[in-house]
Amino acid sequence: MHTPMSTERTEGTENRAHDLRHHGDAEVRDDGSALVDLAVNVRADTPPTWLRDRIAESLTGLAAYPDGRPARAAVAARHGLPVEHVLLTAGAAEAFVLLARALKVRKPVVVHPQFTEPEAALRDAGHTVGRVLLRPEDGFRLAPSAVPEDADLVLIGNPTNPTSVLHPAARIAELARPGRTLVVDEAFMDAVPGEREALAGRTDVPGLVILRSLTKTWGLAGLRIGYVLAPPEVIADLERAQPLWPVSTPALAAAEACMSPRALAEEAEAAHRVAADRAHLVAGLQEFAPDGLSVTEPAEGPFVLIRLPRAAAVRHHLRTLGYAVRRGDTFPGLGEDWLRLAVRDRATVNGFLQALDRAMTLAGHGGESTR
């Protein structure tokens, strides 16, 4: 018999149960800077040379105030939308803050486990946030009926960080209601071959707001560039909440460059490469099933979520062996037995799997294997 997904309010002790401000970069700061990084979901070996050159060329124009019109038009054209449907932001993280501050909502709900910054931004803006917790027993799959009917803002990631679940677009669209804002964080959609299940560019879904990031695929986390796709009235509300010139000239140059045919072709090729590398990682992880390790499948993002006994100890031993992975217990709906692993090239994955074998042995998972 199907067990309903749980819904709860983030009040009282639940607010203190998860560190919503902990992100993967914390794993590779300071003493972690020399570790092999499987904690941060940014594609390795990026940005490419041609993109770095475009950004460098923009530096000659730093004396002038940023002009976002060309980049905005390029984003609009890439998604087949009028420019009034586009807002450029200093990374997707700024968009979460703008939504929390600018939209007049009474009952926001966040579908977890997912990126925690949206809930943190809503709480910082004074909202009481409802949670819909998807269950590992259901493969972290969404049932639209689990979302309360009176929710006037619903936020979900697709593919979802950290579960790597890709929800069907039609199922997410079922969440749309008159008077409801439906926010879909598609920060990792460009890492999905063919962008299957994308809602970006759709204008037939009421209240739909899409968030995109250019920092993941292109390795631009330090530059801060993303964008919002939404109805013009929503864009206008968000724009009023932005400071003047919120996106720098180099970031605007990067945004325009990343919308070019060359960039889109490279992005598509990278998505297929990530899928192949992810399959290699998952196959290696499945060898540890006798030791109690399980992988959330099917994984569709540039990362995978695993569950294993004594995960905190395994993570500690991995650090001593030179590898950083993302702890899972800061995500609502997950506990200390979860870890998120970024997809890397085969050579890096092979080295990691050997280290994982050793780390699990040191953590008391039984005798060392011959993997």
Side-chain angles (χ1 to χ4, degrees):
M1 187 172 77
H2 176 74
T3 304
M5 296 173 233
S6 65
T7 306
E8 61 185 44
R9 292 284 172 181
T10 61
E11 299 173 347
T13 57
E14 182 60 32
N15 270 351
R16 298 188 294 272
H18 299 88
D19 180 1
L20 300 181
R21 295 292 189 187
H22 180 93
H23 302 300
D25 61 324
E27 310 282 357
V28 290
R29 289 185 192 143
D30 303 327
D31 64 336
S33 60
L35 301 177
V36 177
D37 180 9
L38 278 77
V40 177
N41 290 328
V42 173
R43 195 176 118 214
D45 301 321
T46 50
T49 301
W50 64 265
L51 181 53
R52 290 200 302 269
D53 290 344
R54 285 289 299 274
I55 294 169
E57 290 167 8
S58 75
L59 300 181
T60 60
L62 291 185
Y65 285 96
D67 181 359
R69 290 175 298 176
R72 187 181 186 187
V75 171
R78 183 255 193 270
H79 292 287
L81 293 169
V83 294
E84 294 80 11
H85 288 251
V86 177
L87 182 69
L88 302 174
T89 59
E94 187 201 11
F96 298 132
V97 174
L98 295 176
L99 289 165
R101 293 178 178 176
L103 300 188
K104 296 177 175 60
V105 297
R106 296 172 293 102
K107 294 185 177 181
V109 167
V110 178
V111 179
H112 285 290
Q114 80 135 26
F115 186 48
T116 54
E117 200 60 31
E119 179 175 323
L122 285 163
R123 286 173 46 193
D124 288 347
H127 297 284
T128 298
V129 183
R131 290 177 178 172
V132 171
L133 301 180
L134 307 186
R135 295 157 37 93
E137 297 92 330
D138 302 321
F140 297 109
R141 297 285 163 181
L142 171 70
S145 60
V147 176
E149 280 294 326
D150 60 352
D152 57 357
L153 184 147
V154 177
L155 199 149
I156 185 170
N158 202 37
T160 303
N161 171 20
T163 63
S164 209
V165 168
L166 183 66
H167 302 287
R171 189 169 300 169
I172 292 180
E174 288 180 38
L175 295 173
R177 301 280 189 281
R180 171 185 286 178
T181 300
L182 173 59
V183 181
V184 185
D185 178 6
E186 291 189 350
F188 294 100
M189 187 61 78
D190 57 4
V192 177
E195 295 199 357
R196 304 186 331 274
E197 312 303 344
L199 286 165
R202 294 273 296 271
T203 58
D204 59 324
V205 180
L208 178 64
V209 175
I210 299 294
L211 307 183
R212 286 283 182 115
S213 170
L214 298 176
T215 65
K216 314 301 184 185
T217 287
W218 297 110
L220 298 174
L223 198 61
R224 312 309 307 140
I225 178 65
Y227 55 90
V228 181
L229 307 175
E233 60 273 18
V234 175
I235 295 295
D237 287 341
L238 300 180
E239 196 167 16
R240 280 191 291 271
Q242 269 188 320
L244 291 173
W245 310 292
V247 181
S248 70
T249 295
L252 292 171
E256 187 176 0
C258 290
M259 299 299 116
S260 69
R262 171 185 182 172
L264 295 179
E266 184 174 323
E267 179 182 279
E269 180 183 345
H272 287 284
R273 188 165 59 249
V274 166
D277 289 341
R278 183 182 59 239
H280 179 68
L281 172 60
V282 170
L285 292 169
Q286 289 171 338
E287 296 293 321
F288 294 90
D291 302 309
L293 187 152
S294 60
V295 183
T296 299
E297 293 187 89
E300 300 282 0
F303 45 86
V304 298
L305 182 67
I306 66 172
R307 189 176 197 175
L308 71 163
R310 297 181 287 283
V314 170
R315 175 174 158 269
H316 167 76
H317 289 302
L318 281 169
R319 292 183 72 84
T320 67
L321 295 168
Y323 291 84
V325 299
R326 173 66 158 88
R327 57 190 279 202
D329 62 323
T330 64
F331 294 100
L334 302 181
E336 292 185 351
D337 51 346
W338 296 90
L339 299 173
R340 189 193 70 195
L341 312 174
V343 173
R344 297 290 184 246
D345 62 89
R346 292 193 174 209
T348 301
V349 166
N350 290 342
F352 166 73
L353 292 171
Q354 291 181 355
L356 177 61
D357 190 11
R358 178 63 178 155
M360 291 179 66
T361 298
L362 292 170
H365 280 254
E368 192 164 8
S369 77
T370 57
R371 294 184 190 90

